[in-house]
Amino acid sequence: GEVSGNAPTITQFSIPKDKIRDVIGSGGKVIREICEETGAKVDIEDDGSITVAHTDGAKGKQAVDWIKSIVAEPELNHIYDGKVVKAVDFGAFVNFFGARDGLVHISELAPERVKQVSDIVKEGDQVKVKVIGFDDRGKIKLSMKRVDQETGADLEAGDAE
């Protein structure tokens, strides 16, 4: 049996239940944006199972990847592009990996000793951050000094060899 060219393709996967509202967004904002941008139809069940129906393979993959990026957990030692959302006395809060925020402690901003956070970064700066740990409250600890801010290369990678 040939499938007609415009029959939708269905992709099914599931996400942790506690992430459902992140995917839906407040008032359905996030899910609506995903559907509008990709043209895919997305159904989310209460148990976290997700069905993505689409007629365009690339767009469908985009919708699936988008949802997966919302629910994915940042990985230790991975490097991500981020944006400084707030500079405080003890460091900078960086938004990265979708809607995640992490803290670059003042000691992790730059190789040299930093007197003031504002000497290094300000709100809105695009930075490259490395996930260096999670504190006991599940907050993400980031580093800028361990990443080449120009190239995004992991400056610690050489030591691991």
Side-chain angles (χ1 to χ4, degrees):
E2 282 292 301
V3 177
S4 76
N6 53 9
T9 310
I10 308 280
T11 308
Q12 288 180 306
F13 59 100
S14 60
I15 62 168
K17 279 207 269 212
D18 59 354
K19 302 282 189 197
I20 294 174
R21 43 164 227 275
D22 298 341
V23 174
I24 294 173
S26 64
K29 196 174 80 148
V30 176
I31 193 85
R32 242 193 341 268
E33 189 185 351
I34 294 172
C35 295
E36 280 166 15
E37 289 264 318
T38 63
K41 184 175 178 316
V42 180
D43 286 313
I44 304 181
E45 300 295 327
D46 295 339
D47 66 356
S49 56
I50 293 189
T51 307
V52 178
H54 53 86
T55 48
D56 171 341
K59 294 283 196 191
K61 183 175 180 335
Q62 186 190 349
V64 170
D65 290 348
W66 191 332
I67 294 166
K68 287 187 172 165
S69 77
I70 293 171
V71 302
E73 294 296 327
E75 291 183 59
L76 195 60
N77 295 326
H78 274 239
I79 290 172
Y80 299 98
D81 289 313
K83 186 170 134 205
V84 177
V85 286
K86 195 163 143 212
V88 290
D89 293 344
F90 53 85
F93 287 97
V94 174
N95 174 259
F96 72 108
F97 200 75
R100 291 311 165 85
D101 286 345
L103 174 69
V104 180
H105 188 266
I106 188 164
S107 64
E108 290 291 341
L109 281 173
E112 67 275 10
R113 193 174 175 285
V114 177
K115 285 197 184 62
Q116 280 191 305
V117 173
S118 53
D119 294 343
I120 308 290
V121 291
K122 59 185 186 316
E123 243 167 82
D125 283 356
Q126 296 293 330
V127 295
K128 293 181 170 34
V129 291
K130 178 175 179 175
V131 177
I132 55 171
F134 304 92
D135 73 11
D136 44 17
R137 296 197 305 276
K139 294 260 182 281
I140 302 163
K141 298 197 276 199
L142 301 171
S143 171
M144 278 170 52
K145 75 176 183 188
R146 305 184 198 197
V147 183
D148 183 320
Q149 291 299 312
E150 294 296 303
T151 65
D154 187 337
L155 299 175
E156 292 181 314
D159 309 343
E161 300 298 300

